[in-house]
Amino acid sequence: MELNPDSLDPSLRYKLLIGTVVPRPIAFVSSISPTGKTNLAPFSYFNAVGHKPLALAFSIAPKSDGSEKDTLRNVRPVSEGGVGEYVINLAVEPYIQQVAEASEPLPYGDSEFDHIDLTTVPSKVVKAPRVAESPVAFECRTIQIVPVGTFNLVIGEVIHWFVRDDLVDENYRVDTHKLAPIGRMAGNDYCHTDRQFTIPNGLPKST
């Protein structure tokens, strides 16, 4: 099968994209509006950008009516009417049901924290709270928002980092089995990430 993406309906492109770029990590983003209303939403177009500076990026689609999602409104810089800060919590096995529930569209200012069984704890640096149950939380400040068609790619610098003590050894290696991250597949499917193996990098050594 050879495909020209421009010849496909966007809905078909979407199906092929989320069915082939798998598994995807999930950014569970907590943010706050300029008036102090909290928001929590999952985004599976998410990954690390780099570590000098420590930066993460996630992409936000518009609402079904074409308007901006609450998260985008909140993370926009102050000069654009937002707060310019947010927290990326991780989607992990113990509360993956709540991650799925938080994708439900709500009116602006109606907080997901009021509807799902998760709690907040104040962040150290940013205004938005983090998810208390999350084993890792990245407190971020928006660096740039890049429009990509109807999507907006949010790039943020991590300015504070919470990692649960039992996940990290003295050499800063993370026990990913204890972390228990969940990956996003296509549709409503998710996957566990605890089946791992090791392969050395590079070309085979000649004998």
Side-chain angles (χ1 to χ4, degrees):
M1 183 182 293
E2 307 287 345
L3 299 169
N4 179 349
D6 291 338
S7 69
L8 294 175
D9 183 86
S11 64
L12 298 180
R13 279 184 247 160
Y14 172 71
K15 287 181 181 179
L16 281 173
L17 178 66
I18 66 169
T20 52
V21 182
V22 289
R24 300 184 305 282
I26 305 166
F28 202 24
V29 181
S30 51
S31 61
I32 193 166
S33 73
T35 58
K37 302 293 185 179
T38 57
N39 181 264
L40 182 65
F43 299 92
S44 65
Y45 290 165
F46 161 61
N47 220 310
V49 174
H51 59 279
K52 294 173 61 179
L54 183 59
L56 304 172
F58 67 101
S59 184
I60 306 177
K63 292 183 178 180
S64 57
D65 62 4
S67 62
E68 290 187 347
K69 287 186 176 175
D70 300 351
T71 300
L72 181 58
R73 295 172 65 173
N74 293 344
V75 305
R76 285 195 179 281
V78 174
S79 61
E80 297 178 17
V83 176
E85 298 175 344
Y86 53 94
V87 181
I88 294 181
N89 308 276
L90 294 187
V92 294
E93 188 173 342
Y95 55 79
I96 192 60
Q97 178 63 46
Q98 288 90 328
V99 173
E101 291 171 356
S103 63
E104 178 77 16
L106 297 175
Y108 186 63
D110 191 356
S111 176
E112 287 77 7
F113 284 109
D114 295 333
H115 298 274
I116 63 177
D117 187 23
L118 288 174
T119 52
T120 64
V121 64
S123 296
K124 291 291 185 180
V125 178
V126 304
K127 297 180 179 68
R130 63 179 173 88
V131 174
E133 293 83 355
S134 182
V136 177
F138 304 90
E139 297 184 27
C140 300
R141 181 172 296 135
T142 303
I143 297 174
Q144 188 177 6
I145 298 178
V146 183
V148 184
T150 60
F151 286 73
N152 282 275
L153 180 67
V154 180
I155 304 171
E157 180 177 0
V158 179
I159 56 176
H160 188 79
W161 203 346
F162 165 80
V163 183
R164 203 176 66 207
D165 290 345
D166 65 302
L167 295 176
V168 185
D169 69 13
E170 63 276 7
N171 294 313
Y172 285 79
R173 288 176 298 213
V174 176
D175 186 332
T176 52
H177 292 282
K178 284 185 180 179
L179 181 62
I182 293 293
R184 185 71 190 274
M185 306 296 281
N188 292 327
D189 293 339
Y190 297 81
C191 70
H192 298 282
T193 57
D194 55 357
R195 185 182 176 189
Q196 301 170 15
F197 55 92
T198 301
I199 299 177
N201 290 330
L203 296 171
K205 306 300 181 183
S206 58
T207 56

